[in-house]
Every structure is written in C-alpha cells, then in structure tokens.
Amino acid sequence: MKQIASVMYVKEGCHAEYKHRHDQIWPEMKQLLKGYGVSDYHIYLNEHTSELFSILTIEDETLHAEIAQQPICRQWWDHMADIMYVNDDNSPKSIELTEVFFLE
C-alpha cells in the first residue's frame, strides 16, 4: 500500500459546484477507483487559494496508472473540466507532493 498526495486547483467561484459534483459522484466512477485499488481517498479545499489537496491510498502503482486510460475516468475529467484547471486531455493539472513527515 502506498499513499499519494497531490495539489489540484478549482476555479475561483466554483468551490460549491466542485463539492456538489463530488457529492453526486457517479457510482461507476467510485466503482472504477475501488476496482483499481484506490481507498481512503480524501480531497480538501483551501478556500483562500482554491487549492485542492488530495490524499489517497493505492494498492499498486501500475494498476493505479491504468485508471487514466479508462473511458469512465475520461468522461469524469470532461465533466469536471469547466470548473478546474486542466491539461489538454482534460486531466486535472496536478502536482504530486513529497512526504516530509509521518507520525506513527
């Protein structure tokens, strides 16, 4: 098991819509994530900077990388593209973070 933390960005004025869409996340998207070994997925919003901090646990890095190739994931990205900063393929612009401390 491995944890991945990253920062993404929601467009200003879209905070409530971002939360609403995740409150209504498609069952197929949840199933996809779980089926590809994702668990304990949290997303936090810094309302002052519009930064989204995400942390999730994955079973396998190779399996996790395959999520981006699945049609339902691509559809989700398209669904979210109007309220987030995204790459050319509509994947969220994201910066993976480096762990510097862990308290056991």
Side-chain angles (χ1 to χ4, degrees), residues 7-9 76-77 80 84-87 89-95:
V7 175
M8 301 173 287
Y9 302 89
W76 182 258
W77 289 350
M80 299 300 290
M84 295 183 71
Y85 293 98
V86 297
N87 297 304
D89 64 356
N90 282 344
S91 63
K93 287 195 176 187
S94 145
I95 301 167

Side-chain angles (χ1 to χ4, degrees), residues 4-88:
I4 298 175
S6 63
V7 175
M8 301 173 287
Y9 302 89
V10 65
K11 293 178 180 175
E12 200 158 322
C14 296
H15 298 174
E17 181 61 21
Y18 183 89
K19 179 167 179 3
H20 173 73
R21 292 185 192 184
H22 279 80
D23 288 345
Q24 305 296 320
I25 192 168
W26 307 334
E28 301 88 353
M29 189 61 191
K30 287 171 84 172
Q31 183 180 0
L32 174 72
L33 293 169
K34 290 180 180 185
Y36 279 77
V38 175
S39 62
D40 299 323
Y41 194 169
H42 300 266
I43 301 174
Y44 298 91
L45 169 65
N46 181 335
E47 294 181 14
H48 300 288
T49 64
S50 296
E51 289 178 310
L52 298 163
F53 169 73
S54 75
I55 187 163
L56 60 143
T57 302
I58 62 170
E59 291 177 12
D60 178 89
E61 289 181 72
T62 303
L63 188 61
H64 179 256
E66 292 177 17
I67 294 171
Q69 305 308 315
Q70 304 309 308
I72 195 70
C73 180
R74 300 281 177 142
Q75 291 168 10
W76 182 258
W77 289 350
D78 293 345
H79 177 62
M80 299 300 290
D82 63 320
I83 63 171
M84 295 183 71
Y85 293 98
V86 297
N87 297 304
D88 291 339

